[in-house]
Amino acid sequence: MKVFDKYILKSFLEPFLATFFVVLFVLVMQSLWLAFDEIAGKGIDIFFILKFLVYLALMLTPTALPIGILLSSIMALGNLSENYEMAAIKSAGISLKRVIRPLIFLILFISALNFVFLNNIYPWATLKQKNLYLNMKKKKPALALVPGAFNTDIPGYSIKFEEKYGEEDNLLKNVQIADLSQSKGKIKVITAQKGIISTEEGSKYMTLTLENGNYYEEHINKSMQPKDRAKMPASKATFKTYTINIDISSFNDDDKLDDEKIKEHHGMLSIVQLDSISKVNKIKYDEYTKNQADYFFNILEAKKLYKYPDSLIDTKLDSVILNNFTTYNKSIVLNESIQLLKRTIDHNKNQKISFKDKRKLLNLYDHEIYYRISFSLACLVLFFIGAPLGSIIRKGGFGLPMIMAIIIFVIYFFISKLGGNLSEESAISALFGSWLSTLILLPFGILLTRRATQGMGIFNIDSVLDNIQKLFNKTGNKTTNL
């Protein structure tokens, strides 16, 4: 490799590594912030939080790569132009195409690497992250007894106390406990002057020892009427010490956070798996549409339609024939026809939703297959926009290049989502929807590359002003001739 190529690669890789990790960090923090409300306050171990962040980083790496390439290409070529290195390179007879040639091979390698990542690591990370996030959301909040309020987090119990004190904050003052475990209402109430909480490490039970209190319980059946409850006996007693063992295993179910219940989400599958499931879904979809067509064919008795000519078109309906039917019989025929039509319309409405959902699912899998290929090549497309753009604007650093990179990628991302939504609704094909953003931005990349190669700006202001001047001159000459 020539020294020149090494220098160009170094000029690109230094800002690329910096921008890639910065963008990845921002994307991970944004996703974590959105999920924070769902997982905060549940006593989740830091180990699972770190696993969640690692899975998020692996999922967002394919998105951070194109942004990093776009931003670093603008910065690298902008720095070369700003420091007059590009002018020196051109004066030596080296064209822009020769300058970016080693970078093109590097971007092709990164695009291939991004495709391998999307097809192998991304599905695995999505499987782990989505299941872990779902299990975190379902996990019960961490047990935290608050003084002065009824604590109902523990299943089957309602606990209230005035004050929590002691070195370990495990002593309670003026405790009131309602045992609701039998689902019969508040029929067992325990009060005590003092309570002591003790839990052994690793135990699934919390021991609550009450001192100097009263015990009250009503002996009723669940099926009793409210008026019969007053006639039933009740138990009442006082105690010096009373112990309650409360099951708190549901608050320490970290072993269930790794459960994998969702496995067929389109983001969790490789291209081969997506294609296999898509083929199966297409067979089911064809069978479904055929069954619906047969249903309408049979309910409308289409076999008999050809036997009866349309009397309203070929011949006039003879009023004498209608006179043979009574008004009651005519109303029966009309009502049955109306009811048949209503049933068909209602069936149509109900099946329309099912038909649309099946078609959407089919389009979703097809779009995901093509999108992973097109998104891998997004690195190359965005490079051919960023590199000539940096050469033209002649500005390095994080200022203007960052703004332009964000604007360009937002446009690319918006068009990608638009293509995905349109293909999902069957407005366009899945293939066209997945390549829509690439097809729209690729001509701009070619145009910018040509203008940068020819040493031209993005817009030739002088040419535009000359054309406007010529237009005014022609208009003035025509007015003079008149």
Side-chain angles (χ1 to χ4, degrees), residues 143 145 154 157 159 172 196-200 203-209 243-249 252:
L143 180 58
L145 300 178
I154 301 176
Y157 291 93
I159 302 175
L172 309 180
I196 303 174
I197 299 175
S198 59
T199 306
E200 294 183 5
S203 175
K204 66 176 183 178
Y205 290 99
M206 179 184 74
T207 302
L208 181 57
T209 304
T243 303
I244 302 175
N245 291 318
I246 301 174
D247 186 2
I248 58 171
S249 59
N252 301 298

Side-chain angles (χ1 to χ4, degrees), residues 2-12 80 85 89:
K2 296 181 179 181
V3 177
F4 178 75
D5 293 335
K6 290 181 180 180
Y7 180 75
I8 296 298
L9 290 174
K10 181 183 178 182
S11 301
F12 175 81
L80 292 175
E85 293 178 271
I89 291 172

Side-chain angles (χ1 to χ4, degrees), residues 211-223:
E211 298 179 357
N212 300 326
N214 298 295
Y215 176 96
Y216 175 84
E217 180 179 4
E218 296 179 357
H219 301 283
I220 61 172
N221 295 324
K222 190 175 181 179
S223 58

